[in-house]
Amino acid sequence: MLQKRLNHDVLLFDGGFGSQLQKSGMAAGEIPEYYNIDHPEMIISIHQRYIDAGADFITTNTFGANPLKLEQHRYSYQQVILKAIENAQKAISTSEKKVYLAFDIGPIGQLMEPMGTLTFDQVYNSVKDMIMLVKDQVDVVLIETMTDIYEVKATILAIQENSDLPIFATMTFENNSRTLSGCDIDTMINVLEGLKVDALGINCSLGPKEMKPMIQKLLARTHLPVIIQPNAGLPTLINGKTTYPMSADEFVQEAIPLVEQGIAVIGGCCGTTPEFIKKLKVHLPVKVTPRTVPSLTCVSSGTMTVTFGQEVIVCGERLNPTGKKKLKAALKEERYDELIIEGIRQEQSGAHVLDVNVGLPGIDEVEVMTHVIRLLQEVIQLPLQIDSSQPEVIAQACRYYNGIPLINSVNGKEETMQAIFPIVKKYGGVVIGLTLDENGIPPHARQRFEIAEKIIARASEYGIPKENIIIDCLVLTASAQQKEVMETIKAVSMVKSLGVHTVLGVSNVSFGLPNRPLLNKTFLAMALAAGLDLPIINPLDQELMNTISAFNVLYNYDHDASSYIQKQNQGHVLTKEPSRTFTLAEMIFHGMKEEIEKATEQMLQQKDGLTIINEILIPALDQIGKAYENSRIFLPQLIQSAEASKIAFEVIKKTFQSGDSSKGPVLIATVHGDIHDIGKNIVKVVLESYGYKVIDLGKDVPKETIRNAFYKHHPKAIGLSALMTTTVISMKETIACLKEETDMCPIFVGGAVLSEDIAHDIHADYYTKDAMASVNLLNKIIA
């Protein structure tokens, strides 16, 4: 019933809950979820006001009620969740119309690997425990205010594998159209569609006006129902209270035109009230506006989505031990740093996707594949191709992969399709279909075409659309099967008529013949002309890459030849591979933690520690900071770089006299009442990478504790963090307490709910919007 309504009726969620609790008398710094138990009448009353305003959904007061957040608190997560559901059900029981109960899941509150230490399985198990409590008592699960697409994936799988509940998933984006962890709109769409949620969208952080371009992109790209829950504008502090500037009428004026473009579900987030919902109800269209959305073939990492059909997509082939003695040895000896280096070089050379194959006799391929994928995703933004002949390897890799991978492969054998298609269906992904069957590789193009038709038809029976299939017409060697080379080219052209993209392992054609690069380049040009979309090649071979660059111009992919001209001006016409060695600065930039210690020790044989810091480390970190600020790298890469530089600093520190190794100290804490410390932890890592001594007091820290720490450690600056609107007052009280001391150091503040104006209103000395801004500030104010 709900799914049917989603596709036809515009539905209305409730609005902000925390602001209503504050209005009802909740004290600053208190945990909102505890009010389910301590003040149930207040919770029921808020729910009822939203129901009376016309909401079709009400949301349980469980945003932070997960096992990891509440493990050391007064009430257990089970007590909080069950009471929250009971309160909501009591409110619903008073309504004569159908009201859906949405179980609310917010972020865990800790950074996941590789940015932090929280594992995929820890998130999964935390959500599983919650779902087992509620699966028979609610109508839908709302995953909201997420910033890490990997956490969203773990959460979705925990829900799907332990219940039949519909899933609405929303993430919170900043003005640059990316989440804190770097996920963009395209990546969110691709991952959530691949995991088959029931509705997806955006909530929190921004008002409807600021969200408009992101919402319009959502509506243009996703086939799923879209849900939005904007804030009532951007927050300000007035008379000591966090307030939102938009009136209900202004909110409706901005929101309704967006709804009319095809939104299926709308509600409010921070600052919105029952009045907002009531006025939305009056002006809402009854039916969802139909949308026409193209079907695209896309693969994603956690921060990047590659779309086929807009240019030739290059898959780097060098992370495959077949025919590579050094790579075989590295895998057997668990020297994974060599794979990381190879992956980075392929990324630098222009690859769009990297093939990852670790199949060797004598190794645990499941374990090694998942480990290598995790290592690669720490330092590389590109999507990966999971390449294995073992279905269990593919399944496990798909589960722990952050994004939507390319899967290599399935073929026309019935047993293979039965093994692989359920994996593709469950985890999403674009699967490569090899045009071979029980009789091997057919000699003629028509036979390969028929196998491609069979693969596409069988995939459809599993619910896999043809845009999630790329057909490999299979390259045979000219030295052994010369006349069949052209059959491959013919097959590529024929398969394109099926409306799918194509892939070929180009270098196979030249095996056993002299001057292989010449044959590879010529065959590549022939295949591209026939319709090849995804050549699997060595991207370090500049002759091949230049051929693709030229083709993109001639085929009108590269408009105005802008990319081609840029590459030519930069001298990208080399015929040899770039260097395989990395400088110390490059290791820091790419976050190569495994290699940095040895490299720093070697550099110390040439230069003294201070010279290395001033001439190499600090400039490298500045380069990283600029790349982060310009959105060329994102939070995962920033943190990995910071961790690598910390290792280098630790090596250099051993050569210093006592007291010469650090700047600061700097005291940091998340204020009392706030149990979120993601932002604070990021600031700590990055500050330490710049050589600052950081004293971290943790989260939910009383003002008296911070004041006592000031006397104990004599910091040069104090940084305070808050994520919740309800704890801004706690931050203000902490600052007031600290400033009672005449010799107080500068106080800087940050967090998702803060702004320059709010920082000024609570009498902070400085506001920093992110970790790099904190570094830049402290570099100025601490001599």
Side-chain angles (χ1 to χ4, degrees):
M1 179 63 179
L2 176 56
Q3 188 63 54
K4 183 177 180 180
R5 292 194 68 190
L6 269 179
N7 292 321
H8 296 90
D9 304 334
V10 178
L11 300 174
L12 190 57
F13 249 84
D14 51 11
F17 211 93
S19 52
Q20 288 300 291
L21 282 172
Q22 284 182 309
K23 187 176 180 180
S24 299
M26 185 180 74
E30 293 197 45
I31 295 176
E33 291 80 9
Y34 283 175
Y35 270 57
N36 290 305
I37 297 172
D38 294 336
H39 302 284
E41 70 290 342
M42 188 182 297
I43 303 300
I44 295 169
S45 175
I46 294 171
H47 286 319
Q48 286 176 330
R49 291 201 294 272
Y50 278 120
I51 292 171
D52 292 343
D56 298 299
F57 296 84
I58 61 168
T59 311
T60 58
N61 181 32
T62 54
F63 178 82
N66 66 68
L68 295 176
K69 272 186 183 177
L70 298 184
E71 58 186 348
Q72 296 178 347
H73 286 263
R74 185 166 77 246
Y75 298 123
S76 70
Y77 76 92
Q78 294 100 327
Q79 291 173 299
V80 170
I81 288 173
L82 292 176
K83 190 62 176 177
I85 291 174
E86 179 186 325
N87 294 335
Q89 288 173 337
K90 285 182 178 179
I92 290 174
S93 68
T94 65
S95 175
E96 295 181 357
K97 70 165 191 172
K98 173 62 179 176
V99 177
Y100 298 101
L101 179 53
F103 177 61
D104 190 31
I105 298 180
I108 292 291
Q110 301 176 38
L111 287 171
M112 286 186 69
E113 294 176 336
M115 296 181 289
T117 58
L118 191 65
T119 68
F120 183 95
D121 288 334
Q122 284 176 309
V123 175
Y124 177 93
N125 290 329
S126 176
V127 176
K128 176 184 175 181
D129 289 344
M130 293 188 285
I131 293 301
M132 296 304 290
L133 277 178
V134 310
K135 63 180 181 179
D136 297 322
Q137 302 184 64
V138 300
D139 299 302
V140 63
V141 179
L142 173 66
I143 305 169
E144 63 150 316
T145 322
M146 291 288 186
T147 62
D148 186 350
I149 193 69
Y150 200 37
E151 182 175 353
V152 178
K153 177 176 179 176
T155 302
I156 290 169
L157 289 176
I159 299 166
Q160 290 175 337
E161 292 177 356
N162 296 284
S163 78
D164 296 320
L165 290 168
I167 300 171
F168 295 177
T170 60
M171 300 188 75
T172 182
F173 290 81
E174 300 178 12
N175 278 319
N176 64 356
S177 295
R178 288 188 180 269
T179 70
L180 177 66
S181 67
C183 179
D184 62 5
I185 297 290
D186 284 335
T187 299
M188 180 187 75
I189 292 170
N190 199 33
V191 173
L192 297 188
E193 284 196 349
L195 293 172
K196 298 164 190 65
V197 300
D198 296 274
L200 61 82
I202 306 174
N203 81 295
C204 204
S205 291
L206 305 171
K209 184 176 182 180
E210 293 80 17
M211 282 186 182
K212 181 178 178 180
M214 299 175 226
I215 292 169
Q216 290 176 328
K217 187 168 189 179
L218 267 176
L219 293 169
R221 289 295 305 273
T222 184
H223 299 84
L224 293 177
V226 172
I227 173 174
I228 64 166
Q229 293 176 298
N231 287 349
L234 302 177
T236 59
L237 200 70
I238 299 176
N239 297 325
K241 292 185 178 181
T242 304
T243 60
Y244 290 80
M246 295 189 82
S247 68
D249 288 331
E250 291 169 330
F251 186 90
V252 169
Q253 185 178 358
E254 292 287 348
I256 291 300
L258 296 172
V259 176
E260 291 171 344
Q261 295 177 40
I263 286 170
V265 185
I266 184 172
C269 204
C270 300
T272 59
T273 68
E275 181 189 4
F276 284 65
I277 303 307
K278 184 175 183 179
K279 292 194 173 183
L280 274 174
K281 183 70 174 180
V282 172
H283 294 89
L284 274 186
V286 175
K287 299 296 180 182
V288 178
T289 302
R291 293 176 287 128
T292 301
V293 178
S295 295
L296 302 175
T297 302
C298 305
V299 292
S300 301
S301 66
T303 59
M304 174 187 291
T305 291
V306 171
T307 302
F308 290 81
Q310 299 176 353
E311 62 178 322
V312 177
I313 303 301
V314 174
C315 180
E317 68 180 6
R318 295 178 65 88
L319 294 179
N320 186 326
T322 304
K324 301 181 181 70
K325 292 182 179 179
K326 289 184 177 180
L327 192 59
K328 286 182 180 178
L331 282 169
K332 288 181 178 179
E333 297 166 14
E334 299 182 3
R335 291 184 284 105
Y336 300 121
D337 56 318
E338 293 200 18
L339 280 77
I340 302 305
I341 291 170
E342 197 63 69
I344 292 172
R345 283 300 186 219
Q346 291 184 93
E347 182 178 44
Q348 290 177 326
S349 298
H352 302 92
V353 180
L354 298 185
D355 177 74
V356 184
N357 184 310
V358 297
L360 282 178
I363 69 170
D364 185 336
E365 190 177 346
V366 171
E367 181 180 341
V368 173
M369 175 66 87
T370 53
H371 182 63
V372 168
I373 284 174
R374 182 182 66 79
L375 292 176
L376 287 169
Q377 290 188 144
E378 288 184 359
V379 299
I380 289 170
Q381 295 187 49
L382 302 181
L384 302 179
Q385 174 174 283
I386 297 167
D387 185 358
S388 177
S389 60
Q390 305 298 320
E392 61 270 24
V393 175
I394 292 173
Q396 193 78 344
C398 285
R399 184 175 188 83
Y400 290 102
Y401 177 76
N402 185 11
I404 292 293
L406 191 58
I407 298 170
N408 191 3
S409 59
V410 73
N411 58 51
K413 297 178 182 179
E414 190 60 37
E415 63 178 358
T416 304
M417 290 188 286
Q418 290 177 0
I420 299 300
F421 282 148
I423 300 171
V424 178
K425 172 69 172 177
K426 178 174 182 176
Y427 294 109
V430 176
V431 64
I432 291 176
L434 309 181
T435 52
L436 62 86
D437 58 16
E438 289 81 0
N439 298 314
I441 302 175
H444 300 297
R446 168 56 61 179
Q447 295 166 307
R448 298 187 208 179
F449 174 81
E450 290 170 353
I451 294 175
E453 284 186 308
K454 175 183 176 182
I455 291 171
I456 293 168
R458 289 290 283 121
S460 179
E461 293 174 12
Y462 283 86
I464 301 168
K466 65 181 180 180
E467 60 264 22
N468 283 12
I469 300 170
I470 299 179
I471 295 297
D472 188 342
C473 294
L474 299 171
V475 177
L476 301 176
T477 60
S479 60
Q481 295 165 291
Q482 187 173 1
K483 66 179 182 180
E484 293 176 7
V485 171
M486 281 308 298
E487 291 299 314
T488 298
I489 298 295
K490 291 176 185 176
V492 168
S493 181
M494 294 172 68
V495 164
K496 292 291 287 188
S497 68
L498 296 173
V500 295
H501 294 287
T502 58
V503 56
L504 291 175
V506 171
S507 61
N508 292 341
V509 75
S510 63
F511 186 78
L513 291 172
N515 197 0
R516 293 186 67 188
L518 176 59
L519 290 169
N520 292 342
K521 180 175 67 172
T522 305
F523 179 75
L524 173 62
M526 294 167 62
L528 291 173
L532 174 62
D533 301 289
L534 176 68
I536 301 176
I537 62 172
N538 173 12
L540 278 66
D541 185 333
Q542 289 298 314
E543 287 286 347
L544 292 178
M545 296 300 285
N546 288 337
T547 298
I548 291 171
S549 180
F551 179 84
N552 282 334
V553 173
L554 301 177
Y555 202 72
N556 197 33
Y557 279 150
D558 183 4
H559 300 298
D560 299 322
S562 56
S563 179
Y564 176 83
I565 292 169
Q566 181 182 12
K567 289 177 181 178
Q568 297 305 306
N569 289 340
Q570 292 174 347
H572 286 193
V573 291
L574 301 175
T575 58
K576 64 178 182 179
E577 293 183 0
S579 171
R580 290 171 57 88
T581 60
F582 284 84
T583 66
L584 184 60
E586 286 177 321
M587 290 182 180
I588 291 172
F589 188 89
H590 293 292
M592 298 168 65
K593 296 180 292 185
E594 301 298 322
E595 300 81 20
I596 198 75
E597 183 174 353
K598 182 178 179 181
T600 306
E601 290 171 347
Q602 292 174 344
M603 183 61 68
L604 282 168
Q605 297 175 11
Q606 305 171 31
K607 298 182 180 183
D608 65 83
L610 282 177
T611 300
I612 295 172
I613 289 173
N614 292 326
E615 294 184 0
I616 299 177
L617 300 192
I618 297 300
L621 288 166
D622 289 341
Q623 181 187 8
I624 294 160
K626 290 177 182 176
Y628 177 72
E629 291 169 354
N630 294 329
S631 297
R632 290 192 291 113
I633 65 170
F634 306 103
L635 187 59
Q637 293 78 37
L638 176 68
I639 290 180
Q640 294 308 308
S641 297
E643 293 285 1
S645 64
K646 280 174 59 180
I647 295 172
F649 271 112
E650 289 299 317
V651 173
I652 294 170
K653 189 188 297 184
K654 296 175 184 177
T655 69
F656 289 166
Q657 297 295 320
S658 178
D660 291 342
S661 59
S662 294
K663 295 176 283 187
V666 177
L667 196 70
I668 62 172
T670 300
V671 297
H672 180 55
D674 202 317
I675 56 177
H676 303 84
D677 59 359
I678 288 179
K680 172 185 64 64
N681 291 343
I682 295 167
V683 169
K684 177 184 178 181
V685 170
V686 177
L687 284 178
E688 287 178 337
S689 76
Y690 272 80
Y692 283 95
K693 180 180 180 181
V694 179
I695 300 161
D696 183 1
L697 299 181
K699 57 190 177 184
D700 191 16
V701 183
K703 58 188 177 183
E704 295 82 7
T705 302
I706 299 174
R707 183 173 60 185
N708 292 338
F710 167 73
Y711 283 118
K712 178 179 178 180
H713 299 287
H714 305 288
K716 299 290 182 65
I718 296 176
L720 302 177
S721 173
L723 182 69
M724 302 162 60
T725 57
T726 55
T727 52
V728 174
I729 301 304
S730 180
M731 181 178 280
K732 181 180 181 181
E733 292 172 352
T734 300
I735 293 171
C737 175
L738 292 173
K739 291 206 169 184
E740 290 175 358
E741 311 304 324
T742 56
D743 56 347
M744 181 50 53
C745 62
I747 300 171
F748 65 102
V749 298
V753 295
L754 296 172
S755 65
E756 193 82 52
D757 290 339
I758 291 178
H760 178 267
D761 290 340
I762 62 177
H763 306 298
D765 297 305
Y766 301 99
Y767 163 73
T768 57
K769 64 183 178 68
D770 55 36
M772 284 309 306
S774 299
V775 170
N776 294 334
L777 169 67
L778 294 181
N779 284 344
K780 293 177 181 178
I781 66 175
I782 296 180

